[in-house]
DNA sequence: TTGTATGCGTTATCAG
DNA sequence: CTGATAACGCATACAA
């Protein structure tokens, strides 16, 4: 009376592999083999058909959790970003999802909202999920304690067989894709100097933000070498986001320094800064030149077009995924070089 | 000889709950209860301490897959978007991750790259993962076959206990958050008409894209009522993305119609169109006015500032999550109204 | 090639 | 309040 219904999936209860096997008149093992003919496809054609047919009829959906248990591994990739709404991160996420997809992995997204503490928490969650690998995206802070906690969390994760990679400074004991921020910023500085600029200001991001520091450092060092050092008071710290750029520009203008060109350590900050300048009545680029870093897609539609350092964020996402999956003998560190792109915002003078 | 090591997690092998129980000198059941004191916290304080201590010592990490098996449900939320690199989707994703996070759910992100076929595939994947709920974000196409396939996939998913919600047209048999595109576009049209505009063009997106159609329809209907109908040749179809807006604007200019203001059915298209206009030598907004839809964050930094219809995408993400989680007696349909925001791109004339 | 029997790590049921 | 023990759904070593 209870086991007569065999062809209907039933209300709520999903068909199991046993159901499929019974429906097909084969054993559980055969059904299992037929459905994912893993390495060795050792099931007779007609049986395979029967099983596949039964599975289709019952609308069978393999339980990934059960498979994870039996196989001892999952097909999940964890992706941790600071802010998925920020174009820098969402573009990298696009690269990661693309690569993960072709590798047959599901991406679990964790958004820390710029809270470093939550990174550790998410690593724990992904550890619980037994994610096959984890990619942590975003510049590190110069905060030994926070970094240490993160390092330990990742170490524990890797010790248990997980593979991790990051986009940012290679200081966490995991493989990393790192942008040559210093070199690219120095190149940008030289290019601007070559355009005739001599009086610079830098919207430098957070004091302890390593990516910001690298960009500031490379930029200022190059200018110092060229004999056009950036005055200390012309380096304005602020958050690494759009509003941070805006704030910093307001502060810079308040200081009434004699500046020709402003370098914001990332594009969204540069855009916020340009808006601040306009709000103050400046005409761009006539009254002030601007340069950013990243070359986010949105730059295609701003005016004047923004000079920046181009990095291929989609590709960075792909590379990070490759590292995290250990494709071949993946190197420990992939260094990405940026390309200086001079545009209307920094006309020759 | 093999079971003497008890205090070390071991190289690779993660500590299991049994390990914790043994280390704490209690039974598996007690350890389980102590560690997640579910509804009824019925374990003696001292035992609980012993267990928690053992867990910490062994660096125990509960296996979410095993829990999923035993509990019969997961803490996973599936999120399907067309393009995570598009600000519209990434902003909604921010809202979803935020809400999911406070609900204690992990978000599995699926990026279809605008391929409708893949939506069905991802639903299958999420079904396999036994995701507790699925949120599908993005306007539907007027394609009965595709919609039908999707509808069936979602129906099957829900029949097995999953909860689904979508952001877009409520045509899939699941709860939905739908923007009142027609109403908002009509309001925008009236506002522009009130500004003195009489000759309109519409960069209308794909012919069969429902969101595009609703925005086109609402806009044109309102203008027709006002006695300023949009000429058929002034409605240019194109993809629903930035480049689509650019292409459509090029085509519009090629037609040399007498147009005062261009309405692009979303902001990224409007931005692409403005760039195309500039490339053709137009000065904005003097030579041509523009309006978009969505009010993406990036608009804060474009010039002239763009008139648009503001919708709170982060909130839409939160709402969709609420629907998907069935918070309280969630309604079947949440209609979001947009707010017309007149900016510099459409000066009075 | 196919079938049987075990184990994966937890939760939950049912006795003590 | 605590402890055995039976599921949960699947993969696989082993036997036939």
């Amino acid at each position: 009376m209870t086991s007569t219904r065999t062809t209907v999936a039933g209300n709520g209860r999903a068909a199991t592999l046993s159901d499929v096997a019974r429906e097909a008149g084969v054993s559980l093992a055969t059904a299992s083999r037929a459905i994912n003919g893993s390495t060795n496809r050792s099931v007779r054609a007609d049986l395979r058909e029967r099983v596949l047919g039964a599975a289709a009829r019952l609308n069978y959906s393999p339980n990934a959790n059960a498979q994870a248990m039996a196989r001892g591994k999952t097909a999940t990739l964890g992706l941790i970003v600071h802010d998925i709404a920020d174009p820098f991160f969402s573009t990298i996420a696009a690269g990661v999802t693309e690569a993960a997809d072709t590798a047959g992995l599901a991406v679990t997204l964790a958004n820390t909202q710029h809270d470093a503490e939550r990174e550790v928490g998410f690593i724990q969650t992904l550890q619980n999920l037994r994610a096959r690998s984890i990619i942590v995206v975003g510049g590190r802070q110069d905060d030994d304690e926070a970094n240490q906690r993160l390092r330990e969390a990742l170490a524990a994760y890797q010790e248990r067989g997980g593979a991790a990679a990051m986009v940012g400074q290679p200081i966490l004991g995991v493989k990393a894709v790192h942008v040559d921020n210093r070199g690219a910023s120095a190149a940008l500085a030289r290019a601007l100097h070559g355009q005739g600029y001599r009086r610079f200001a830098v919207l430098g991001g957070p004091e302890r933000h390593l990516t910001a520091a690298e960009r500031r450092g490379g930029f200022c060092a190059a200018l110092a070498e060229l004999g056009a050092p950036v005055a200390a008071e012309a380096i304005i710290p602020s958050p690494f986001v759009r509003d941070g750029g805006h704030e910093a520009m307001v502060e810079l203008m308040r200081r009434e320094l004699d500046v020709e060109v402003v370098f914001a350590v990332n594009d969204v900050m540069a855009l916020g800064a340009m808006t601040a300048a306009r709000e103050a009545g400046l005409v761009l680029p006539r009254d002030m030149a601007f340069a950013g870093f990243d070359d986010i897609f949105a730059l295609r539609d701003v005016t004047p077009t923004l000079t920046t350092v181009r990095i291929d964020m989609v590709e960075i996402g792909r590379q990070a995924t490759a590292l995290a999956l250990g494709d071949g003998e993946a190197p420990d560190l992939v260094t990405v070089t940026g390309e200086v792109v001079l545009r209307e915002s920094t006309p020759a003078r």
Side-chain angles (χ1 to χ4, degrees), chain A residues 2-349:
Chain A
T2 73
S3 60
T4 41
R5 176 171 45 63
T6 67
T7 58
V8 175
N11 37 359
R13 191 176 147 313
T16 144
L17 190 53
S18 298
D19 298 337
V20 174
R22 192 177 328 123
E23 169 85 2
V26 301
S27 76
L28 215 203
T30 298
S32 175
R33 294 189 267 249
I35 285 190
N36 61 33
S38 56
T39 47
N40 47 354
R41 51 205 186 77
S42 54
V43 51
R44 225 169 51 205
D46 60 324
L47 278 192
R48 175 194 309 289
E49 289 314 308
R50 286 232 302 274
V51 173
L52 264 33
R57 229 169 310 134
L58 298 182
N59 216 305
Y60 170 68
S61 158
N63 185 323
N65 300 293
Q67 293 183 315
M69 292 262 27
R71 290 179 173 147
K73 66 178 180 184
T74 66
T76 294
L77 169 72
L79 173 62
I80 302 177
V81 301
H82 292 346
D83 178 12
I84 192 62
D86 181 314
F88 174 78
F89 294 101
S90 67
T91 306
I92 288 180
V96 171
T97 53
E98 182 200 306
D101 205 44
T102 73
L105 301 179
V107 175
T108 290
L109 173 68
N111 200 192
T112 67
Q113 300 185 132
H114 293 284
D115 177 352
E117 286 306 307
R118 311 182 66 189
E119 276 179 335
V120 175
F122 280 129
I123 288 176
Q124 257 305 327
T125 298
L126 291 168
Q127 161 82 266
N128 295 352
L129 252 14
R130 297 299 187 264
R132 174 181 303 194
S133 34
I134 296 178
I135 297 176
V136 180
V137 183
R140 297 298 100 198
Q141 296 279 140
D142 176 18
D143 178 338
D144 289 343
E145 285 188 34
N147 290 338
Q148 186 54 26
R149 278 195 292 273
L150 198 55
R151 203 190 329 266
E152 283 168 6
L154 286 171
Y157 171 69
Q158 292 183 113
E159 208 162 313
R160 284 167 166 62
M166 64 165 316
V167 175
Q169 290 71 32
I171 62 169
L172 263 29
V174 305
K175 291 170 185 279
V177 176
H178 184 222
V179 173
D180 175 21
N181 292 306
R182 287 192 66 87
S185 296
L188 173 64
R190 286 190 292 269
L192 293 176
H193 188 273
Q195 290 285 87
Y197 292 94
R198 291 299 178 271
R199 293 190 293 283
F200 300 79
V202 176
L203 307 188
E207 306 271 13
R208 305 162 67 90
H209 189 288
L210 296 183
T211 295
E214 291 168 356
R215 293 178 183 176
R216 276 196 308 266
F219 193 81
C220 293
L223 289 177
E225 269 184 23
L226 290 169
V230 183
E233 65 271 27
I235 301 179
I236 319 285
S238 76
F240 204 61
V241 299
R242 185 268 179 198
D243 286 351
H246 189 279
E247 289 167 21
M249 189 63 202
V250 168
E251 170 61 18
L252 176 63
M253 292 185 294
R254 197 190 61 70
R255 296 190 187 179
E256 298 185 329
L257 304 175
D258 184 14
V259 170
E260 295 167 341
V261 57
V262 172
F263 168 48
V265 292
N266 68 223
D267 287 341
V268 291
M269 287 179 66
L271 295 181
M274 290 169 79
T275 296
R278 285 201 176 92
E279 288 167 353
L282 300 194
V283 174
L284 312 186
R286 192 196 65 188
D287 300 335
M288 186 68 79
F290 283 89
F293 199 113
D294 285 344
D295 201 25
I296 57 175
F297 287 149
L299 293 196
R300 302 177 65 181
D301 301 312
V302 302
T303 49
T305 54
L306 182 65
T307 286
T308 191
V309 172
R310 169 168 170 61
I311 56 179
D312 188 336
M313 295 166 294
V314 173
E315 178 60 20
I316 285 176
R318 292 196 199 99
Q319 297 252 23
T321 308
L323 290 193
L325 298 185
D327 289 10
E329 297 77 22
D332 284 353
L333 177 65
V334 172
T335 297
V336 172
T337 63
E339 173 197 1
V340 174
V341 186
L342 259 19
R343 299 207 179 101
E344 297 166 359
S345 65
T346 57
R349 58 175 293 153

